[in-house]
Amino acid sequence: MRLAQSLLFVLLCELMFIIPGGLIDIVLTFAFSHLNERVITLIGFLCSGVVLMLCLKHFFHNIFLRIKELMRIDISKLFLLIAVIVITGVLYTMIVFIGLEFDLVSWKEAPLESTGILSIISLLLFAFIVTAIKELVFRGADLSYLLMRLNPWVSIVIISILLSVGHMQYSGILNCLTMFIFGVVASFTVIRTNTLYWAIGLHCGWNFANGVNNMYFDLNNKIIPQFGNTFELLRAGLLILILVSFWLYSRNQLLQRTANKTIVE
């Protein structure tokens, strides 16, 4: 019964998020065809986020309050957010160059035209806003509700499967595997730190680095039928490395807090 209620909430939450943004995308595309596609997508995401938060505030107030707690702002968390974005971006770029060495990635014959500094800044802002809203939905609303009713690992698996299904437009088993691992990593950081900033930083840094590197590299250089892009192997490996590193970091932080508490007592 708990599982059924949890899945129903997740489905309802996704509908509240997808439908408003989808309708706005359609309307803006037909009414303002000259608008940049990225701008239309951004407006759709922002409207979807607002609609979802209003619905949660009125119908699931406990989840709304939980999201406010996860998004509580202070200077240290903002520095943490920036650090996670930068580190994730650097690590992602490193695996692109590793892929280049193993012929999983290739240079593009001609980089995309929009590779100026303004394009890169706009890509960063776009990545940040979109990923922040997505994290409010997946790790803010959905994961919080699941954790109130289910085992943490069951909750993580459900959210990760949902993320994989949401990226099925990118064909291949390897991509689904990568997205599943990403869901596990992002959800694990939220549970361990009681904040969304780690997950937003990871998601933003990942998408931004992917977008920038796609300007200069062909990240789909080697495709295996049914399995998909072999570069996903490096992406999955990086995520596993991040998961293990974060687990060791959070474990050390927990041990240190326990030791300090013991000394005080």
Side-chain angles (χ1 to χ4, degrees), residues 45-119:
F45 264 93
L46 288 170
C47 291
S48 290
V50 170
V51 170
L52 177 63
M53 294 304 292
L54 288 173
C55 289
L56 291 174
K57 183 177 181 180
H58 287 90
F59 302 110
F60 299 94
H61 194 63
N62 57 332
I63 301 298
F64 177 77
L65 292 177
R66 174 60 179 159
I67 293 174
K68 284 183 67 177
E69 181 185 354
L70 290 171
M71 287 298 295
R72 186 175 294 136
I73 299 175
D74 62 52
I75 296 299
S76 62
K77 287 179 181 177
L78 293 178
F79 278 114
L80 170 68
L81 175 66
I82 295 170
V84 175
I85 292 173
V86 171
I87 292 170
T88 303
V90 170
L91 290 174
Y92 193 101
T93 303
M94 286 175 62
I95 66 168
V96 169
F97 281 96
I98 292 173
L100 197 62
E101 290 295 319
F102 290 93
D103 202 31
L104 303 180
V105 173
S106 63
W107 287 95
K108 286 186 174 178
E109 292 183 6
L112 297 180
E113 292 181 6
S114 55
T115 55
I117 186 66
L118 289 179
S119 296

Side-chain angles (χ1 to χ4, degrees), residues 175-216:
N175 178 72
C176 290
L177 175 64
T178 301
M179 289 300 101
F180 180 84
I181 298 172
F182 187 95
V184 172
V185 177
S187 300
F188 186 71
T189 63
V190 174
I191 292 174
R192 278 299 181 99
T193 63
N194 198 39
T195 178
L196 282 173
Y197 287 95
W198 279 91
I200 293 173
L202 175 64
H203 205 157
C204 176
W206 189 271
N207 283 12
F208 174 64
N210 183 69
V212 171
N213 282 290
N214 259 312
M215 293 178 178
Y216 301 96

